Amino acid sequence: MMKRSAIALLAFAIAAGTSSLTAQTVTSGLRGPTPLNDEGPAPPMLPNRNTSEKEVRNYPEQPPVIPHSIDGYQVDLNGNKCLSCHARARTAESQAPMVSITHFMDRDGQFLGSVSPRRFFCTECHVPQNTANPPVSNDFVDIDTLLSRVSPGGRR
C-alpha cells in the first residue's frame, strides 16, 4: 500500500512539474526572454577571426584551429580548397603550414603519396574561430597550466 502511495505521489509531482515548466519564461541566460517550450531566434552570426597567427592548443592532440575565414571554400568529393595552400607541394609559395604527416597515413598506418581519403574533409576536425566571447564562463585549464601546478613528485 505504501509503495503504491509513493508511486502515485511521484507521478503527481512529475506531472505538476512538467505543466509548470511549459509556462515558465526565463528572462536571463542564453535563451533570453524565450519561454522554455519555444525556440527563440538564432543569435546573429559573428565575423570569423582572420589572422596569420597560430592559435595555442589547449590539450595534446587537439587539431589546430583555422585562423582565417573559409567562407566559400569548396571541401567535398570534387575538391578541397584547403589543399591549394596546405598541400605539401604548395607550402613554399603560400607560406601556410603543411598538412600533418598523419594525414598521409591509411588506416593501417601505411604512408600514402597524397592525403588519405580519411583525412580529406578538413572541417570534420579543424574549425574556424569567430570573434565571440564565451557565452558561459568556465574554469577550463590547459594542459601546460595544469602540469605547471604539479610538482615533480606528482603532488600539488
Side-chain angles (χ1 to χ4, degrees):
M1 179 71 174
M2 191 160 179
K3 189 174 181 181
R4 284 188 195 149
S5 298
I7 292 173
L9 183 61
L10 180 61
F12 176 75
I14 290 172
T18 304
S19 64
S20 67
L21 276 179
T22 58
Q24 282 184 354
T25 300
V26 177
T27 57
S28 64
L30 297 177
R31 296 184 59 81
T34 305
L36 290 175
N37 59 336
D38 290 342
E39 185 173 332
M45 295 286 290
L46 295 171
N48 283 336
R49 291 194 57 207
N50 203 8
T51 179
S52 60
E53 296 175 17
K54 289 174 84 172
E55 295 274 341
V56 175
R57 298 187 201 187
N58 294 310
Y59 55 90
E61 303 301 320
Q62 175 188 351
V65 296
I66 302 170
H68 57 81
S69 176
I70 59 169
D71 292 344
Y73 276 35
Q74 177 182 354
V75 179
D76 58 27
L77 289 174
N78 299 317
N80 183 325
K81 172 72 171 150
C82 302
L83 294 176
S84 64
C85 295
H86 295 279
R88 185 177 42 208
R90 304 298 302 267
T91 58
E93 68 183 83
S94 70
Q95 297 298 300
M98 186 183 91
V99 173
S100 169
I101 192 74
T102 61
H103 290 49
F104 291 88
M105 294 169 58
D106 67 10
R107 69 179 66 208
D108 299 320
Q110 300 298 312
F111 283 98
L112 305 171
S114 59
V115 173
S116 168
R118 300 181 327 131
R119 300 291 188 101
F120 189 75
F121 299 101
C122 307
T123 53
E124 287 183 335
C125 299
H126 305 279
V127 293
Q129 302 298 289
N130 67 22
T131 58
N133 291 321
V136 177
S137 63
N138 69 69
D139 57 1
F140 176 81
V141 177
D142 68 19
I143 189 69
D144 294 324
T145 304
L146 185 64
L147 291 174
S148 71
R149 293 180 186 169
V150 178
S151 67
R155 295 191 181 117
R156 287 184 177 206

